[in-house]
Amino acid sequence: MNNYRIQNFVVLTLLIILNDQITFVAQAGAESKVHIVYLGEKQHDDPEFVTKSHHQMLWSLLGSKEDAHDSMVYSYRHGFSGFAAKLTKSQAKKIANLPEVVHVTPDTFYELATTRTWDYLGLSAANPKNLLNDTNMGEEVIIGIVDTGVWPESEVFNDNGIGPVPSHWKGSCESGEMFNSSHCNKKLIGAKYFINGFLAENESFNSTESLDFISPRDVNGHGTHVSTIAGGSPLPNISYKGLAGGTVRGGALRARIAMYKACWYLDDLEITTCSSADLLKAMDEAIHDGVDVLSLSIGYGIPFLPETDVRNGIATGAFHAVVKGITVVCSGGNSGPAAQTVGNTAPWILTVAATSLDRSFPTPITLGNNKAILGQAMYTGPELGFTSLVYPENPGNSNESFSGTCESLFFNSNLTMAGKVVLCFTTSTRYSTVSRAVSYVKRAGGLGVIIARNPGDNLAPCLDDFPCVAVDYELGTNILFYIRSTESPVVKIQPSRTLVGQPVGTKVADFSSRGPNSIAPAILKLCLGYPKQATPR
Ligand SMILES: *[C@@H]1O[C@H](CO)[C@@H](O)[C@H](O)[C@H]1NC(C)=O
Ligand SMILES: *[C@@H]1O[C@H](CO)[C@@H](O)[C@H](O)[C@H]1NC(C)=O
Ligand SMILES: *[C@@H]1O[C@H](CO)[C@@H](O)[C@H](O)[C@H]1NC(C)=O
Ligand SMILES: *[C@@H]1O[C@H](CO)[C@@H](O)[C@H](O)[C@H]1NC(C)=O
Ligand SMILES: *[C@@H]1O[C@H](CO)[C@@H](O)[C@H](O)[C@H]1NC(C)=O
Ligand SMILES: *[C@@H]1O[C@H](CO)[C@@H](O)[C@H](O)[C@H]1NC(C)=O
Ligand SMILES: *[C@@H]1O[C@H](CO)[C@@H](O)[C@H](O)[C@H]1NC(C)=O
């Protein structure tokens, strides 16, 4: 079974979840597994009738009404026709041979992903001459988000100054664990959850013990985060300890948000997973409810499935949504910076990458020889006056080949680093390398870290206002030469400042997946752009 999961990107802090696949031990032949039976465009407008035909098909296959009822997981009947049911391999084969069946596929699992930033893209709320003003900041637009759910108490869902719910909305706010209709308002206009596909695949999942809420409530934060990016209400004067200050807001400030929770947290594995059966049901309902835009920050691991491969549930659901005039936006994935990692490349989907900003956090470092260097950090503590500076070259054991790397700081005696600022080098692009290096230095009683690394890597604040400053290899080498040429090297570190605009160039974020498309390499990403019809629904 393949595995679809969440890839997380929290403002400047990044959690990259590995693309490893979960392989299951081959199971006994008669075991029932969730299969998706896809029947294509629906043949009837009455959803009840469509569902009835699904039950009949399953009944005639299984021979009993009760068995058909027990094995049915979902009936898809709004955007397209099909159903998810627990079937054995041979039953799946049999049903696939029916003339009205387009294809039958075992359920697959997906992972999560994200992006951000609007003013930088020219969508400033203060500018009267742009798309935002032309559309009254998206007031009549309903954005359906398929993700981990929503934390309705978050201030970004306040509905201050927003008009009544658009008349084309047919959805609702579903009750469940710690969630009821009182959690919806004119901003968060709908919330539903879809767990049957996941439960049918996992009998050992105990919903009582699970940390996740069996409701539209978000335990993970990803769904709340992506909703904020797309359509969050503006919250002025937000900053990280005074850095990066400004107004937090969604791209379309007045758009409505409807959450379709289809991704569930597995406590033991500490991952969030979304089954195709649940995703398809979420999309089917969203189409019925009247969303104008569908947003899925969810992806599939490498190797990708072609959009015409029926196992690609997102591409199939998206296709039917697009045919009905709904724009579908998906993340390209968080598998960068390697090439050929972009996913969700079906031509009817708008695929989004993440970018760095024209914003930086210069942090002055002054060496004992009075040479000033600008590093990057989110350090908001007091100035660290001239302090001893050390490059731990000889850890004093056989691990010399590791010496000077951030990873090897662990092997140094506490005495080497106590009371000092430590310089180290790393080629790792992982945030965990930085956080570990910092923990080794802290534990040894060190006072700061200067990390020389690839400048393309992401910046994250060090906790407890511990000075940890990133520099590129050139500056790191300059500092190293200074240390080697001086008997008692010292350094001063000042708090970071926020710099917006030049001279920082922007680029696709390091973690963001890159083209070319591994399925059609000649095409980076084809976008046919199905414009939404202007006629009111
Ligand atoms: C939006 O544009 C209209 C004219 O097209 C203008 O009257 C209005 O003031 C603008 N709104 C804002 C917030 O600038
Ligand atoms: C909904 O939940 C809130 C608190 O979470 C509670 O105060 C309220 O009574 C509930 N409303 C309904 C209709 O159950
Ligand atoms: C089922 O759930 C359990 C408990 O949360 C988890 O350990 C296990 O990995 C899950 N299995 C699958 C197939 O998702
Ligand atoms: C789930 O967990 C609860 C609480 O620990 C327990 O009482 C219940 O028996 C468990 N259910 C199953 C099906 O294991
Ligand atoms: C913004 O927040 C800061 C600190 O939280 C506060 O000192 C300042 O007065 C606030 N400014 C506005 C305009 O609310
Ligand atoms: C040297 O490094 C290896 C691998 O990280 C580690 O297992 C070993 O304990 C280290 N040796 C010493 C003397 O610290
Ligand atoms: C350094 O100090 C910490 C905390 O005092 C201690 O846990 C650790 O073992 C020491 N490490 C070495 C290499 O002495």
Side-chain angles (χ1 to χ4, degrees):
M1 186 191 293
N2 288 302
N3 195 25
Y4 274 92
R5 275 188 262 134
I6 302 191
Q7 295 157 342
N8 237 342
F9 168 42
V10 186
V11 191
L12 294 164
T13 307
L14 174 68
L15 302 162
I16 298 174
I17 295 168
L18 296 179
N19 254 338
D20 49 348
Q21 300 194 339
I22 298 183
T23 317
F24 290 91
V25 180
Q27 293 167 333
E31 181 112 19
S32 289
K33 293 199 72 206
V34 175
H35 285 75
I36 294 161
V37 180
Y38 176 65
L39 307 171
E41 199 60 62
K42 59 197 168 104
Q43 301 299 316
H44 204 281
D45 277 341
D46 179 0
E48 295 303 326
F49 186 91
V50 177
T51 294
K52 214 168 151 200
S53 71
H54 297 157
H55 278 279
Q56 268 159 1
M57 183 182 285
L58 202 51
W59 179 4
S60 62
L61 174 84
L62 303 178
S64 118
K65 198 172 180 174
E66 287 68 37
D67 287 353
H69 182 266
D70 289 347
S71 94
M72 181 70 83
V73 177
Y74 288 122
S75 162
Y76 307 115
R77 56 189 193 164
H78 299 296
F80 55 96
S81 176
F83 58 91
K86 291 185 85 167
L87 301 171
T88 62
K89 254 192 179 152
S90 69
Q91 286 164 345
K93 240 184 181 161
K94 232 172 167 177
I95 208 163
N97 287 333
L98 296 176
E100 60 268 50
V101 172
V102 181
H103 53 71
V104 177
T105 49
D107 199 8
T108 48
F109 283 80
Y110 283 73
E111 61 193 51
L112 309 184
T114 318
T115 15
R116 67 186 215 101
T117 288
W118 301 105
D119 289 341
Y120 175 62
L121 294 177
L123 274 186
S124 165
N127 182 354
K129 282 201 182 96
N130 70 21
L131 196 62
L132 263 191
N133 185 310
D134 295 348
T135 58
N136 198 15
M137 306 199 187
E139 186 148 16
E140 285 300 304
V141 173
I142 300 168
I143 306 173
I145 295 182
V146 181
D147 212 283
T148 59
V150 64
W151 192 264
E153 289 82 5
S154 171
E155 284 186 68
V156 298
F157 299 115
N158 80 69
D159 59 2
N160 301 338
I162 304 182
V165 171
S167 56
H168 66 280
W169 178 240
K170 284 189 268 173
S172 61
C173 200
E174 192 179 2
S175 296
E177 190 179 350
M178 288 183 69
F179 203 98
N180 65 35
S181 59
S182 76
H183 292 110
C184 286
N185 61 15
K186 288 181 288 179
K187 166 58 77 175
L188 179 65
I189 62 172
K192 293 181 177 177
Y193 66 100
F194 306 89
I195 195 172
N196 295 355
F198 173 74
L199 289 181
E201 291 277 31
N202 192 342
E203 272 152 18
S204 66
F205 181 81
N206 186 327
S207 55
T208 317
E209 282 188 337
S210 167
L211 270 184
D212 209 338
F213 301 97
I214 311 304
S215 75
R217 187 173 285 274
D218 183 10
V219 74
N220 175 292
H222 189 272
T224 304
H225 179 61
V226 296
S227 310
T228 307
I229 293 168
S233 290
L235 297 181
N237 204 20
I238 302 289
S239 72
Y240 172 76
K241 297 185 180 177
L243 289 173
T247 296
V248 164
R249 68 170 179 95
L253 285 68
R254 290 192 191 146
R256 317 310 169 109
I257 293 167
M259 174 57 65
Y260 295 85
K261 175 172 174 178
C263 300
W264 300 92
Y265 182 68
L266 284 173
D267 305 40
D268 328 18
L269 300 178
E270 296 183 3
I271 58 163
T272 301
T273 183
C274 340
S275 93
S276 278
D278 291 330
L279 290 174
L280 279 170
K281 186 63 184 171
M283 288 193 266
D284 190 46
E285 286 280 315
I287 291 168
H288 165 267
D289 291 347
V291 304
D292 301 292
V293 176
L294 255 180
S295 168
L296 292 95
S297 287
I298 298 173
Y300 195 87
I302 294 166
F304 295 118
L305 298 167
E307 57 273 12
T308 47
D309 187 311
V310 298
R311 283 167 293 186
N312 192 335
I314 289 184
T316 305
F319 179 80
H320 289 283
V322 168
V323 164
K324 291 180 172 54
I326 297 166
T327 300
V328 182
V329 184
C330 294
S331 57
N334 289 351
S335 307
Q340 302 188 336
T341 47
V342 64
N344 286 324
T345 54
W348 48 88
I349 293 174
L350 274 175
T351 311
V352 178
T355 170
S356 63
L357 299 178
D358 60 341
R359 184 169 69 188
S360 61
F361 304 97
T363 307
I365 298 172
T366 311
L367 304 177
N369 59 8
N370 264 333
K371 215 171 159 191
I373 285 174
L374 282 182
Q376 290 287 319
M378 294 186 80
Y379 174 57
T380 58
E383 172 176 319
L384 180 66
F386 279 109
T387 303
S388 281
L389 175 63
V390 65
Y391 174 65
E393 284 190 79
N394 297 300
N397 59 32
S398 58
N399 280 305
E400 306 238 338
S401 60
F402 288 101
S403 70
T405 64
C406 300
E407 290 82 348
S408 73
L409 292 179
F410 175 75
F411 299 111
N412 288 278
S413 81
N414 286 349
L415 272 179
T416 314
M417 301 190 281
K420 296 177 186 159
V421 171
V422 177
L423 170 71
C424 68
F425 287 73
T426 183
T427 52
S428 164
T429 56
R430 289 177 181 280
Y431 175 66
S432 60
T433 305
V434 175
S435 61
R436 264 191 224 119
V438 168
S439 73
Y440 300 150
V441 173
K442 260 190 186 169
R443 196 184 57 172
L447 299 180
V449 194
I450 297 173
I451 296 158
R453 55 174 202 159
N454 184 330
D457 295 344
N458 301 285
L459 194 64
C462 282
L463 298 180
D464 311 329
D465 270 335
F466 190 77
C468 64
V469 187
V471 293
D472 64 17
Y473 295 131
E474 183 186 340
L475 294 176
T477 307
N478 287 346
I479 299 171
L480 177 59
F481 288 174
Y482 161 70
I483 293 174
R484 286 182 171 159
S485 66
T486 313
E487 201 141 311
S488 315
V490 288
V491 67
K492 175 169 88 176
I493 299 177
Q494 289 166 285
S496 310
R497 299 187 298 248
T498 304
L499 186 66
V500 176
Q502 296 303 324
V504 188
T506 62
K507 63 180 199 95
V508 173
D510 205 57
F511 64 87
S512 202
S513 291
R514 304 298 207 272
N517 183 333
S518 61
I519 293 157
I523 305 167
L524 179 59
K525 170 68 177 85
L526 183 69
C527 176
L528 289 179
Y530 254 87
K532 182 169 151 42
Q533 276 138 22
T535 49
R537 280 185 285 158

